[in-house]
Amino acid sequence: MQTSSQRIASRTHAIQGPPGIQGIVGAKDPRGETGATGAIGIAGAAGQTICHYTFPITTETNHANLPSPFIGTLATPTGWNTFRNSNTYPSYIAWNNASQIESTKLCVSWVEQTGVNIHKFLSMLKINDVVTIQSKTNHLLVQEWVLNSLPVHHDNYIEFGIDLANPESVAITDTAAILIFAYNGNALTNALENRITALEAAIASLIAQLPRQGV
C-alpha cells in the first residue's frame, strides 16, 4: 500500500510529451562574386648555360693560314689536332699575337678536339660576354677576355674581337686549352613566356565561365 507521500508524488509527476517537428532549413545565401585575378609577377632574368670545350693550341698568328674544318690537309702544322691525331676537320684555338695576352682577336675552330661541331654555341656569344681560356692540365695558366664585337664567321673558324678582362691573365704554354663561356637562354625564355601567356589566357577563360551564385 502506498504511503500518502507516494500518492502525492504520483499525482504530481508530469508526463513528457512527444518531440516537436523539426523546423524548415533556411535558404542558402547567394555565393559571393569571384575576386579579380592578381597581377602577374615580373619575369625573372634569363638563365645561363655554361659551356666548356677543349681545343689544341696553335701558335699560328696569321689566321689566313688556319685550315678549314671541311678540307683535309696533307700536312698539319704542329699544335693542330694534337689529341685527335688527324689532318681532317682540324681543331684549334689561335691568337693574333704570339704573346697571347696582347692579342686583339681570338679565333676558334668550329670543331673541338673530339670532332664535335660547336658552331651554333659559339655563334650565341655577343658583345660584353666573357670567355675564359685555361690550360687543360694546369689551372694556374688561365686567361679571361671580354668580347668587344659580335662573332665574325669564316669558313674555317669564328673570330672574336677581345679585350683583356683580367690583368692577371697569363700565356698558356700547354698543348691544349679549355674554352669556357656562358650564354643567355633567350630563345628558351621567350618560348616559356609564350606558353605562360597562353596558359594565363586559358585560366582567365575558365574563371569567366564559373557561376556567380550557388544554387
Side-chain angles (χ1 to χ4, degrees):
M1 178 177 293
Q2 291 182 330
T3 65
S4 58
S5 298
Q6 290 175 332
R7 287 195 297 272
I8 293 172
S10 62
R11 287 198 301 267
T12 59
H13 179 72
I15 299 175
Q16 183 177 358
I21 300 174
Q22 183 176 354
I24 299 173
V25 177
K28 180 186 289 187
D29 289 337
R31 178 180 178 182
E33 294 185 0
T34 303
T37 302
I40 299 172
I42 299 173
Q48 286 189 325
T49 298
I50 306 296
C51 297
H52 59 90
Y53 299 96
T54 303
F55 295 85
I57 291 176
T58 177
T59 57
E60 177 63 66
T61 58
N62 184 356
H63 298 157
N65 294 331
L66 295 175
S68 167
F70 300 111
I71 301 175
T73 56
L74 296 178
T76 302
T78 301
W80 293 342
N81 288 334
T82 302
F83 295 94
R84 294 180 59 209
N85 192 26
S86 168
N87 59 6
T88 305
Y89 306 123
S91 175
Y92 48 82
I93 285 181
W95 294 260
N96 70 336
N97 192 299
S99 68
Q100 293 183 2
I101 59 175
E102 295 181 9
S103 298
T104 58
K105 293 185 182 299
L106 179 70
C107 294
V108 183
S109 63
W110 294 4
V111 181
E112 52 89 63
Q113 73 167 17
T114 64
V116 177
N117 188 323
I118 63 168
H119 181 276
K120 182 64 176 178
F121 298 100
L122 296 174
S123 300
M124 291 180 179
L125 292 171
K126 57 188 181 301
I127 297 173
N128 293 326
D129 280 347
V130 174
V131 298
T132 300
I133 305 175
Q134 178 195 295
S135 163
K136 181 182 178 182
T137 59
N138 187 347
H139 68 280
L140 298 177
L141 302 180
V142 63
Q143 306 171 2
E144 292 183 18
W145 302 92
V146 59
L147 305 187
N148 59 29
S149 64
L150 292 174
V152 178
H153 300 269
H154 297 271
D155 289 339
N156 48 339
Y157 59 86
I158 294 183
E159 174 187 315
F160 301 98
I162 52 175
D163 291 316
L164 198 63
N166 186 344
E168 297 183 0
S169 299
V170 296
I172 298 175
T173 56
D174 201 356
T175 56
I178 304 170
L179 178 67
I180 307 167
F181 58 91
Y183 65 89
N184 290 326
N186 293 325
L188 178 59
T189 300
N190 292 337
L192 290 176
E193 288 177 350
N194 291 337
R195 293 180 62 182
I196 291 172
T197 299
L199 180 60
E200 290 170 346
I203 293 174
S205 176
L206 291 173
I207 291 175
Q209 297 176 32
L210 292 174
R212 294 299 182 183
Q213 295 183 346
V215 178

